[in-house]
């Protein structure tokens, strides 16, 4: 969070929709870290469990699903940090406007889990045969983060074409929905959220 404040807030001077930088960055970091960690863990399922899969039969989905579930503890700690910083600014009198859309948070987390599971299974299947894809995948996840409105608000992307391209990223609507519910700022669209849900279903079907 402090690195983001220095690099993107102070040096690059990227706006945050008038939201205090610490809570703005933390809101995106929490969700993205959970997604990327789950995605990375699931994508290594076949490689890390090859010996076990070859000796004992059990439903293969147990392994990746258990990894996603186990990361919820780490996610809860990160989310607690966000809540504490959020309450600090509320006590200071900063005008943060939480609304009823914040109740969509469980749905957001569920879609994140589904995206990580579906895409992770696809990558895991591919890297079993094409091992070099593992290195490429790490770079891809890093670049994907900067294509998601975490260190900048979606409103910062003023180019109409680029804005539409940003919305093709299923994580964009999830991050923006959470920020809209927590701060009352940002962009919310049921269509965009529905698109993210549809992407999750497609990736799950293909991955499984």
């Amino acid at each position: 969070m402090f690195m983001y404040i220095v690099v993107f807030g102070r040096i690059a001077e990227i706006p945050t929709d008038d939201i205090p930088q610490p809570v703005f960055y933390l809101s995106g970091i929490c969700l993205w870290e959970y997604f990327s960690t789950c995605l990375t863990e699931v994508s290594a399922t076949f490689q890390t469990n090859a010996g076990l899969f070859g000796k004992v039969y059990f439903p293969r989905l147990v392994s990746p699903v258990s990894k996603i579930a186990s990361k919820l503890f780490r996610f809860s700690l990160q989310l607690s940090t966000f809540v504490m910083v959020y309450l600090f600014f509320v006590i200071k009198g900063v005008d943060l406007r939480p609304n009823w859309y914040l109740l969509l948070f469980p749905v957001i987390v569920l879609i994140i889990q589904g995206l990580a599971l579906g895409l992770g299974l696809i990558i895991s299947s591919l890297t079993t045969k094409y091992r070099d894809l593992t290195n490429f995948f790490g770079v891809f996840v890093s670049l994907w983060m900067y294509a998601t409105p975490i260190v900048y608000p979606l409103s910062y992307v003023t180019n109409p074409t680029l804005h539409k391209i940003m919305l093709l990223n299923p994580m964009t609507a999830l991050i923006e929905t959470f920020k809209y519910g927590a701060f009352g700022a940002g962009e919310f669209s049921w269509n965009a959220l529905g698109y993210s849900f549809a992407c999750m279903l497609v990736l799950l079907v293909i991955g499984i």
Side-chain angles (χ1 to χ4, degrees), residues 184-206:
E187 296 185 22
F188 173 78
S189 168
W190 285 109
N191 290 335
L193 192 61
Y195 166 77
S196 297
F197 182 76
C199 287
M200 177 201 72
L201 292 179
V202 171
L203 289 174
L204 274 177
V205 171
I206 296 174

Side-chain angles (χ1 to χ4, degrees), residues 1-2 5 34 82 92 97 100-101 111-112 133 137 159 178 182 185 196 205:
M1 179 191 70
F2 286 118
I5 291 174
Y34 180 56
F82 165 75
K92 281 187 64 178
R97 299 180 296 276
W100 290 106
Y101 290 100
I111 296 176
I112 287 175
L133 282 177
F137 179 65
N159 184 290
F178 178 57
S196 297
V205 171

Side-chain angles (χ1 to χ4, degrees), residues 106-121:
V107 177
I108 294 172
V109 174
L110 183 63
I111 296 176
I112 287 175
Q113 292 173 334
L115 287 171
L117 179 60
L119 184 57
L121 288 174

Side-chain angles (χ1 to χ4, degrees), residues 34-194:
Y34 180 56
F35 171 71
S36 63
T37 302
C38 290
L39 181 58
T40 303
E41 290 285 331
V42 173
S43 66
T45 296
F46 288 156
Q47 292 188 33
T48 56
N49 296 283
L52 183 62
F53 285 171
K55 295 177 181 178
V56 182
Y57 175 78
F58 60 94
R60 301 305 189 221
L61 281 178
V62 169
S63 179
V65 169
S66 66
K67 290 182 178 181
I68 289 177
S70 67
K71 298 305 175 185
L72 281 172
F73 178 71
R74 175 180 172 179
F75 177 55
S76 65
L77 293 178
Q78 295 174 329
L79 196 63
S80 298
T81 304
F82 165 75
V83 171
M84 288 188 290
V85 175
Y86 186 94
L87 291 176
F88 169 78
F89 282 100
V90 170
I91 293 172
K92 281 187 64 178
V94 177
D95 185 23
L96 298 176
R97 299 180 296 276
N99 51 65
W100 290 106
Y101 290 100
L102 194 57
L103 295 177
L104 289 171
F105 181 72
V107 177
I108 294 172
V109 174
L110 183 63
I111 296 176
I112 287 175
Q113 292 173 334
L115 287 171
L117 179 60
L119 184 57
L121 288 174
I122 295 172
I123 299 299
S124 184
S125 301
L126 292 174
T127 54
T128 300
K129 185 175 182 179
Y130 306 103
R131 301 283 177 148
D132 291 340
L133 282 177
T134 304
N135 298 325
F136 169 77
F137 179 65
V139 176
F140 170 74
V141 173
S142 299
L143 292 176
W144 190 355
M145 189 194 80
Y146 292 104
T148 307
I150 295 172
V151 298
Y152 55 87
L154 188 58
S155 59
Y156 183 68
V157 183
T158 56
N159 184 290
T161 303
L162 189 57
H163 191 276
K164 291 180 180 179
I165 294 174
M166 289 282 297
L167 290 175
L168 293 177
N169 175 2
M171 284 298 295
T172 295
L174 302 178
I175 298 292
E176 283 294 304
T177 298
F178 178 57
K179 289 180 179 179
Y180 187 82
F183 308 128
E187 296 185 22
F188 173 78
S189 168
W190 285 109
N191 290 335
L193 192 61

Side-chain angles (χ1 to χ4, degrees), residues 6-27:
V6 172
V7 176
F8 300 105
R10 298 290 187 267
I11 299 176
E13 296 183 345
I14 297 176
T16 57
D17 279 344
D18 296 325
I19 301 168
Q21 292 176 349
V23 285
F24 178 86
Y25 293 133
L26 276 176
S27 63

